[in-house]
Structure formats: structure tokens, C-alpha cells
Amino acid sequence: MSADKLVKSDEEWKKTLSPQQYHVLREKGTERAFTGEYWDSKEPGVYSCAGCGQELFASDTKFESHCGWPSFWEAMDKSKVAYHEDNNFGMRRIEVTCSRCGGHLGHIFDDGPKPTGKRFCINSASLKFTKGPRQMEKP
């Protein structure tokens, strides 16, 4: 995918996304815990942004966090996600968005496993999964 920003009107997004995807990606919504398509998936592959197709997370960084949403300890490429302070609902959190289309993915927390100690808590509705052997590239 190109690193260029993807900009669409609300009407264009509504034509290409399901109502649930639109709510999560464009309105910063969330799905209920333990209801998303990928929260318990263990298949190998790549998770991309459902809005623009940019590859975001590899299955070999996915872990069981028992929170009810897909959790990853690292993004495939740090430039593919952006971070924003989120003080809504009386909580202080860090929102994670797709760097290409700006779609809301979820939040990041400091309670994940090694090696990063991070937990990207991501909505299934914001993701598209491609099954396959591709995994995180080792440094």
C-alpha cells in the first residue's frame, strides 16, 4: 500500500464500510468485548486496516490478553499507526489510528508481554485478515 494519506468524505466511507466498520473507524466507536470476529483467532496471517488495506499487525505478535478484543504486542511497522491522547469518558488513554486513512483502531496500553510490554487493544471491525504465512520481520 502507498504511504500517501487517504482522504474520503463521510458519504464515500459509508459506501465502502459496513455500518459497524463505519462506527468504529470513522466515529471512534468500539465493539462489545468477546463479540468481534478476530478476538480469539489464532490463524497465521496479516491484519490490515479495514478502511484502506494498509498492513498493520502480524499474527505472530497477537496474544491472548483476556480483554475480549484482538491484542498485539507490536505493529508490523511503527509508521503504519499513529497515536493520539484520548481523555474521553473520564479516562486517560492513548488512541491508535491507521496512519494512512486516520481510521480509529483501538487503544494501546502498557500491560502487554515482552519484548515490548505493550498491548494494542484493537477492534475486529477495524481490521481485515488475510490468512497466510507472512509474519513479523525479525530485526
Side-chain angles (χ1 to χ4, degrees), residues 8-17 22 26-27:
K8 292 183 179 183
S9 68
D10 283 342
E11 293 75 30
E12 289 173 308
W13 284 117
K14 286 178 181 178
K15 288 179 184 175
T16 60
L17 299 173
Y22 182 84
R26 308 316 310 168
E27 298 177 325

Side-chain angles (χ1 to χ4, degrees), residues 2 7 28 44 64 91 94 98 115 133:
S2 168
V7 179
K28 300 182 186 292
E64 179 52 60
M91 296 181 275
I94 303 297
C98 174

